[in-house]
Short mmCIF file of all heavy atoms in Angstrom, two decimals:
data_model
loop_
_atom_site.label_atom_id
_atom_site.label_comp_id
_atom_site.label_asym_id
_atom_site.label_seq_id
_atom_site.Cartn_x
_atom_site.Cartn_y
_atom_site.Cartn_z
N ALA Q 22 1.34 3.69 -4.87
CA ALA Q 22 -0.03 4.01 -5.23
C ALA Q 22 -0.94 3.03 -4.43
O ALA Q 22 -0.56 2.04 -3.94
CB ALA Q 22 -0.25 3.64 -6.73
N PRO Q 24 -4.26 0.61 -4.47
CA PRO Q 24 -5.10 -0.10 -5.41
C PRO Q 24 -6.55 0.03 -5.09
O PRO Q 24 -7.41 -0.79 -5.52
CB PRO Q 24 -4.66 -1.57 -5.27
CG PRO Q 24 -4.13 -1.59 -3.86
CD PRO Q 24 -3.63 -0.25 -3.53
N HIS Q 272 -27.80 0.92 1.13
CA HIS Q 272 -28.52 0.54 0.00
C HIS Q 272 -28.73 -0.97 -0.19
O HIS Q 272 -29.33 -1.44 -1.11
CB HIS Q 272 -27.82 1.05 -1.31
CG HIS Q 272 -26.40 0.72 -1.39
ND1 HIS Q 272 -26.00 -0.40 -1.91
CD2 HIS Q 272 -25.30 1.36 -0.88
CE1 HIS Q 272 -24.70 -0.49 -1.85
NE2 HIS Q 272 -24.22 0.59 -1.14
N GLY Q 320 -4.72 -8.13 -6.81
CA GLY Q 320 -3.44 -8.67 -7.16
C GLY Q 320 -2.48 -7.52 -7.29
O GLY Q 320 -1.57 -7.58 -8.14
N GLN Q 321 -2.59 -6.49 -6.48
CA GLN Q 321 -1.67 -5.31 -6.61
C GLN Q 321 -1.06 -5.10 -5.22
O GLN Q 321 -1.52 -5.62 -4.23
CB GLN Q 321 -2.50 -4.08 -7.02
CG GLN Q 321 -3.06 -4.19 -8.35
CD GLN Q 321 -4.26 -3.27 -8.59
OE1 GLN Q 321 -5.38 -3.67 -8.49
NE2 GLN Q 321 -4.04 -1.98 -8.88
N SER Q 322 0.02 -4.35 -5.27
CA SER Q 322 0.63 -4.08 -3.89
C SER Q 322 -0.23 -3.23 -3.18
O SER Q 322 -0.84 -2.12 -3.60
CB SER Q 322 2.05 -3.54 -4.12
OG SER Q 322 2.02 -2.25 -4.42
N LYS Q 345 -0.51 -14.84 -0.94
CA LYS Q 345 0.65 -14.35 -1.76
C LYS Q 345 2.01 -14.72 -1.08
O LYS Q 345 3.09 -14.49 -1.71
CB LYS Q 345 0.59 -12.80 -1.86
CG LYS Q 345 -0.55 -12.35 -2.70
CD LYS Q 345 -0.42 -10.74 -2.83
CE LYS Q 345 -1.63 -10.22 -3.60
NZ LYS Q 345 -1.50 -8.74 -3.68
N ASP Q 355 2.19 11.70 5.52
CA ASP Q 355 2.25 13.00 6.17
C ASP Q 355 0.85 13.26 6.80
O ASP Q 355 0.79 13.74 7.93
CB ASP Q 355 2.50 14.09 5.14
CG ASP Q 355 3.94 13.94 4.67
OD1 ASP Q 355 4.73 13.17 5.23
OD2 ASP Q 355 4.27 14.70 3.62
N LYS Q 384 -7.45 20.64 5.99
CA LYS Q 384 -6.83 21.06 4.72
C LYS Q 384 -6.73 19.97 3.74
O LYS Q 384 -6.99 20.06 2.57
CB LYS Q 384 -5.47 21.71 4.98
CG LYS Q 384 -4.66 22.11 3.76
CD LYS Q 384 -3.42 22.81 4.24
CE LYS Q 384 -2.52 23.19 3.05
NZ LYS Q 384 -1.30 23.86 3.43
N GLY Q 387 -11.34 17.29 3.91
CA GLY Q 387 -12.62 17.90 4.49
C GLY Q 387 -13.68 16.91 4.73
O GLY Q 387 -14.74 17.20 5.23
N ARG Q 508 -37.58 15.92 10.32
CA ARG Q 508 -36.43 16.47 9.60
C ARG Q 508 -36.03 17.87 10.00
O ARG Q 508 -35.04 18.35 9.43
CB ARG Q 508 -36.66 16.34 8.08
CG ARG Q 508 -36.93 14.91 7.70
CD ARG Q 508 -36.97 14.72 6.22
NE ARG Q 508 -35.97 15.48 5.59
CZ ARG Q 508 -34.74 15.02 5.41
NH1 ARG Q 508 -34.40 13.86 5.78
NH2 ARG Q 508 -33.86 15.81 4.74
N ARG Q 520 -29.71 11.12 2.56
CA ARG Q 520 -29.49 10.17 1.46
C ARG Q 520 -30.67 9.27 1.27
O ARG Q 520 -31.07 9.01 0.10
CB ARG Q 520 -28.25 9.26 1.83
CG ARG Q 520 -26.97 9.95 1.53
CD ARG Q 520 -25.91 8.88 1.42
NE ARG Q 520 -25.80 8.43 0.08
CZ ARG Q 520 -25.19 7.24 -0.18
NH1 ARG Q 520 -24.75 6.50 0.77
NH2 ARG Q 520 -25.16 6.80 -1.44
N TYR Q 662 -34.01 -9.77 -25.99
CA TYR Q 662 -32.89 -10.60 -26.23
C TYR Q 662 -33.10 -11.42 -27.53
O TYR Q 662 -32.23 -11.43 -28.39
CB TYR Q 662 -32.61 -11.48 -25.07
CG TYR Q 662 -31.44 -12.37 -25.29
CD1 TYR Q 662 -30.14 -11.84 -25.30
CD2 TYR Q 662 -31.63 -13.71 -25.53
CE1 TYR Q 662 -29.03 -12.66 -25.54
CE2 TYR Q 662 -30.55 -14.56 -25.79
CZ TYR Q 662 -29.25 -14.00 -25.79
OH TYR Q 662 -28.22 -14.81 -26.06
N ARG T 110 -22.15 -21.57 -27.16
CA ARG T 110 -21.82 -20.43 -26.25
C ARG T 110 -20.60 -20.51 -25.42
O ARG T 110 -20.47 -20.13 -24.38
CB ARG T 110 -23.05 -20.14 -25.20
CG ARG T 110 -24.34 -19.80 -25.87
CD ARG T 110 -25.31 -19.22 -24.86
NE ARG T 110 -26.49 -18.83 -25.51
CZ ARG T 110 -26.64 -17.76 -26.24
NH1 ARG T 110 -25.60 -16.90 -26.35
NH2 ARG T 110 -27.81 -17.51 -26.78
N SER T 232 -10.94 -2.85 -7.15
CA SER T 232 -9.52 -2.52 -7.32
C SER T 232 -9.50 -1.19 -8.14
O SER T 232 -10.23 -1.03 -9.12
CB SER T 232 -8.87 -3.59 -8.02
OG SER T 232 -7.48 -3.56 -7.63
N VAL T 233 -8.53 -0.41 -7.83
CA VAL T 233 -8.24 0.80 -8.62
C VAL T 233 -6.98 0.59 -9.39
O VAL T 233 -5.97 0.17 -8.84
CB VAL T 233 -8.11 2.07 -7.70
CG1 VAL T 233 -7.66 3.30 -8.49
CG2 VAL T 233 -9.39 2.32 -6.99
N GLY T 364 -37.82 20.57 4.80
CA GLY T 364 -37.43 19.19 5.22
C GLY T 364 -37.43 18.26 4.10
O GLY T 364 -37.08 17.08 4.29
N VAL T 455 -22.74 -5.16 -25.55
CA VAL T 455 -22.76 -6.31 -26.41
C VAL T 455 -23.96 -7.12 -26.19
O VAL T 455 -24.61 -7.68 -27.05
CB VAL T 455 -21.46 -7.08 -26.29
CG1 VAL T 455 -21.58 -8.44 -27.08
CG2 VAL T 455 -20.27 -6.36 -26.77
N ASP T 466 -20.08 1.47 -4.28
CA ASP T 466 -19.88 1.55 -2.83
C ASP T 466 -18.38 1.49 -2.56
O ASP T 466 -17.75 0.58 -3.09
CB ASP T 466 -20.67 0.39 -2.23
CG ASP T 466 -20.56 0.36 -0.72
OD1 ASP T 466 -19.47 0.13 -0.17
OD2 ASP T 466 -21.62 0.63 -0.08
N ASP T 473 -24.22 1.47 -5.76
CA ASP T 473 -24.89 2.10 -4.75
C ASP T 473 -26.15 2.65 -5.34
O ASP T 473 -26.24 3.59 -6.07
CB ASP T 473 -24.03 3.28 -4.17
CG ASP T 473 -24.75 4.08 -3.13
OD1 ASP T 473 -25.93 3.88 -2.98
OD2 ASP T 473 -24.02 4.84 -2.42
N ASN T 566 2.91 6.77 -11.07
CA ASN T 566 3.08 5.34 -10.57
C ASN T 566 2.30 4.40 -11.46
O ASN T 566 1.45 4.85 -12.30
CB ASN T 566 2.60 5.15 -9.14
CG ASN T 566 1.17 5.79 -9.00
OD1 ASN T 566 1.00 6.90 -8.65
ND2 ASN T 566 0.22 4.91 -9.28
N SER T 568 0.00 0.55 -11.69
CA SER T 568 -1.09 -0.04 -10.86
C SER T 568 -0.44 -0.88 -9.74
O SER T 568 -1.22 -1.36 -8.87
CB SER T 568 -1.96 -0.91 -11.68
OG SER T 568 -2.29 -0.27 -12.88
N GLY T 569 0.84 -1.09 -9.77
CA GLY T 569 1.42 -1.89 -8.66
C GLY T 569 1.04 -3.34 -8.68
O GLY T 569 0.88 -3.90 -7.66
N ASP T 571 1.17 -7.32 -8.76
CA ASP T 571 2.15 -8.23 -8.09
C ASP T 571 3.26 -8.66 -8.99
O ASP T 571 4.39 -8.89 -8.61
CB ASP T 571 1.44 -9.46 -7.55
CG ASP T 571 0.53 -9.13 -6.42
OD1 ASP T 571 0.78 -8.11 -5.77
OD2 ASP T 571 -0.43 -9.93 -6.19
N ASP T 600 1.11 12.42 0.71
CA ASP T 600 2.44 12.72 1.05
C ASP T 600 2.93 13.85 0.01
O ASP T 600 3.56 13.51 -1.01
CB ASP T 600 3.35 11.49 0.85
CG ASP T 600 3.37 10.65 2.03
OD1 ASP T 600 3.37 11.20 3.22
OD2 ASP T 600 3.37 9.38 1.94
N TYR T 636 -12.22 16.22 -1.48
CA TYR T 636 -12.13 16.62 -0.07
C TYR T 636 -10.90 17.44 0.26
O TYR T 636 -10.84 18.06 1.36
CB TYR T 636 -12.20 15.40 0.77
CG TYR T 636 -11.21 14.28 0.45
CD1 TYR T 636 -9.86 14.45 0.64
CD2 TYR T 636 -11.72 13.12 -0.18
CE1 TYR T 636 -8.96 13.48 0.21
CE2 TYR T 636 -10.84 12.14 -0.59
CZ TYR T 636 -9.45 12.26 -0.36
OH TYR T 636 -8.57 11.32 -0.74
N THR T 646 0.02 27.98 0.18
CA THR T 646 0.89 26.83 -0.03
C THR T 646 1.24 26.65 -1.51
O THR T 646 2.40 26.38 -1.78
CB THR T 646 0.06 25.56 0.43
OG1 THR T 646 -0.55 25.89 1.67
CG2 THR T 646 0.94 24.44 0.64
#
Side-chain angles (χ1 to χ4, degrees):
Chain Q
H272 52 87
Q321 293 157 263
S322 75
K345 291 184 182 177
D355 293 348
K384 172 177 179 177
R508 301 188 43 84
R520 279 199 88 198
Y662 181 73
Chain T
R110 294 196 180 284
S232 208
V233 173
V455 171
D466 182 289
D473 179 346
N566 51 269
S568 314
D571 292 337
D600 277 321
Y636 48 72
T646 317

